[in-house]
Amino acid sequence: MSESSAQLAVAGWREWIGLPDLDVSWVKAKLDTGARSSAIHAWDIEPFDRDGAEWVRFQLHPWQMSDLDAVDVELPVVDRRTIRSSTGHEEERYVVRTKIRVLDLDLTADLTLTNRDEMGFRMLVGREALRGSILVDPGRSYIGPRPSRATRKRNLQEVD
């Protein structure tokens, strides 16, 4: 292990993530060093203009297959990116910037907005967000803090 990697926090390939600026305490996320960008499951994505700047409003559903605790969000657009999926499909997405909490660390992440209904996780955290702070151990899961068991049971796709 290099000196610089010895300073990094270690996370599992899947972790419970918080989005403190969006009032989302918990969302199950896949930490994917093979993905450059991070993505969040967003519904009803609607761009709009605020004081001459491009903004986007959307609804965030933190629980798999459920609209419990849905959150209405409005954030400035920081970019638009064409994202190519692992299957080769390309999609242009809005990019927003927000704080994410991983392992009790607050990081700033650019999140692309997309429909992740077919994916196993509502959120994907890519290497840009993890770089310099977190080392991912692909053989471990849920190393960091997580919600109570009762709260986790609300997520229909829970895997312990």
Side-chain angles (χ1 to χ4, degrees):
M1 185 182 308
S2 72
E3 278 185 47
S4 62
S5 63
Q7 305 297 321
L8 302 178
V10 177
W13 71 272
R14 54 187 173 178
E15 293 288 346
W16 287 93
I17 305 295
L19 302 168
D21 293 341
L22 307 182
D23 293 325
V24 174
S25 299
W26 301 106
V27 61
K28 194 168 60 171
K30 178 179 181 181
L31 280 56
D32 187 350
T33 60
R36 191 180 122 234
S37 301
S38 299
I40 189 80
H41 181 69
W43 288 73
D44 299 327
I45 300 168
E46 179 185 335
F48 67 98
D49 182 78
R50 179 176 285 165
D51 300 325
E54 186 176 26
W55 280 60
V56 66
R57 75 175 49 95
F58 58 96
Q59 197 171 70
L60 202 154
H61 294 198
W63 304 109
Q64 280 307 109
M65 302 177 64
S66 172
D67 60 2
L68 286 175
D69 299 330
V71 177
D72 293 319
V73 178
E74 291 184 353
L75 288 170
V77 173
V78 297
D79 197 7
R80 289 187 194 200
R81 291 186 193 152
T82 300
I83 304 294
R84 183 177 306 130
S85 73
S86 58
T87 62
H89 177 272
E90 288 189 353
E91 174 188 29
E92 184 175 87
R93 299 181 189 171
Y94 292 101
V95 181
V96 297
R97 183 169 292 142
T98 192
K99 185 187 310 178
I100 64 172
R101 184 165 290 139
V102 185
L103 303 177
D104 288 330
L105 297 172
D106 287 337
L107 310 173
T108 300
D110 288 353
L111 305 177
T112 65
L113 306 180
T114 189
N115 182 330
R116 293 187 55 82
D117 263 342
E118 301 302 316
M119 304 299 182
F121 295 87
R122 289 294 194 197
M123 185 172 178
L124 179 122
V125 181
R127 65 180 175 267
E128 283 182 344
L130 300 170
R131 181 175 284 128
S133 300
I134 295 177
L135 183 68
V136 178
D137 181 341
R140 298 182 64 193
S141 295
Y142 305 122
I143 295 171
R146 57 179 158 172
S148 69
R149 185 158 187 77
T151 301
R152 290 192 324 264
K153 282 194 170 287
R154 289 171 43 186
N155 187 324
L156 300 176
Q157 296 296 310
E158 176 192 45
V159 178
D160 268 333

